[in-house]
Amino acid sequence: MKLLLTGANGYIGLRLLPSLLRAGHEVWGLVRDRNRFPTEDFEDQEQFHLIEGDLLDLESLPELPGEFDAAYYLVHSMGGSSEDFTSPEAQSATNFAKWIGKSGRCIYLSGLSSEDSDKLSTHMRSRQAVEEILRENGPPLTVLRASIIVGSGSASFEIIRDLVEKLPVMVCPKWTQSRCQPIAIRNVIEYLTGLLEHPESAEKTYDIGGEERLTYRELLTDYAAERGLRRYVIPVPFLSPKLSSYWLYFVTSTSFPLAQALVGSLKCESICREESIRDLIPTRLLPYREAIQLAFARIAQNRVPSSWIDSLSSGLLPAKDWRVVQVPQHGVLVDQQRKPLKGNREDSIEAVWSLGGKGGWPSMNWAWKIRGFLDKFFGGIGIRRGRRHPTELRAGDALDFWRVLLADREQGRLILYAEMKMPGEAWLEFRVSEDHVRQIATFRPQGLFGRLYWYAVLPFHWILFPQMAARLAAPEKRKSAPSA
């Protein structure tokens, strides 16, 4: 079949794509920026074609190569830094319908809620609004409404992981008694691919979930049991949705808008009202604890193909700026360090490519942690995002409170862009040549307060940056850490 896959570099897209290619389909993958797509993983796939365009900008979308048999719509804006994700989601769906036309069919992965429409959260109402836009304006539509998706790198899994592994005692608000049907990411992919063999599924909506119906509290306690952790859960009646959002935001790696959206949805049960998909596409639904085991098997092997934190919408840098890999040179304040190599160049490159995450930073790691805590306290993303892989980096990856703009290992060049809260913009660049390591911290201040901020942290920079450059130029062998 000839297929269109939107959101090809998203959490679901990067997992669905290999499955479609293995089945022999010809796939056109749409991304907003091809520089953020792991092209090296698909170089030998002749039936895969990467196309570039922004669904929020109809004019940026390329001309389609004829009609498609089916198109997957896997785009959403909930992970963004803005609390208003409903408008861009509606605009994106409208532009997609205009672009794709009426040919073929469309498959959309939505969210599941068993509540009446008047009780839906903003997040769920937005998802259903997208369904209506696609149904009225696009080709025949098949909708899969999924409950909590469990898999390495998924937002739900990583939030549960954060809560259970970091808190020996958990305060659980009232919404944790709501029920859901967690479904393994493997089963989601099986359903998405299986629909292609069933044209009769057009114009239908299916609820998808696992065999078990668990409360959100049971998701936490079962995770703890699977990981061999003793955790105590204390229910409290007085945490409002807003307080719950702050609680989730400060404890986990999620952004506050995402925490708000999730809490709004978690108040509602996500139980399948109908399960006809099981007859249409028979498959073994993995139990919740087995899904956790598979997730950690991938993590242990450093084989997490995608993560919600690596989506562009989870960061603060506008899409157009991903192409800008030249750090500004005018109107900026700079700390530049140059240290002679004291060992093998490849070892220094390895050290640079291993910065952050569980391995920490080679100089004043405690100061990086404090900066992350302060960022989280003032509404930023903090340092808990970690990194996708302990030693691999590619453009678009999240790295603590940085975003990777350029990762050219052959040239020994890495550029990071700061996504932390600050009165200005910051870049951190590394260049490893044959005889030295060059480290450049660049800050473009915003007004007088920006300059005061730079000079306030300058005493820390005087110690931290020379030390870090020296250690990268003479690296010690670091133990590899599991991806965060």
Side-chain angles (χ1 to χ4, degrees), residues 60-96:
S60 75
L61 298 172
E63 184 177 349
L64 290 172
E67 295 186 354
F68 290 96
D69 296 302
Y72 288 95
Y73 189 78
L74 303 176
V75 177
H76 68 86
S77 304
M78 192 179 72
S81 58
S82 171
E83 295 184 19
D84 179 23
F85 53 83
T86 56
S87 297
E89 285 199 340
Q91 185 63 54
S92 178
T94 300
N95 289 343
F96 171 79

Side-chain angles (χ1 to χ4, degrees), residues 185-239:
I185 181 64
R186 176 178 296 187
N187 293 138
V188 175
I189 299 303
E190 288 171 342
Y191 283 143
L192 286 169
T193 54
L195 285 173
L196 295 173
E197 307 302 322
H198 296 277
E200 69 274 20
S201 65
E203 303 287 13
K204 292 184 180 179
T205 297
Y206 300 95
D207 292 349
I208 61 173
E211 290 280 7
E212 303 159 290
R213 296 188 174 190
L214 304 173
T215 66
Y216 291 107
R217 178 175 175 173
E218 288 172 328
L219 293 185
L220 301 174
T221 55
D222 285 6
Y223 179 98
E226 181 59 38
R227 297 291 288 161
L229 300 170
R230 179 174 293 180
R231 294 293 183 261
Y232 301 94
V233 178
I234 302 175
V236 293
F238 51 80
L239 275 184

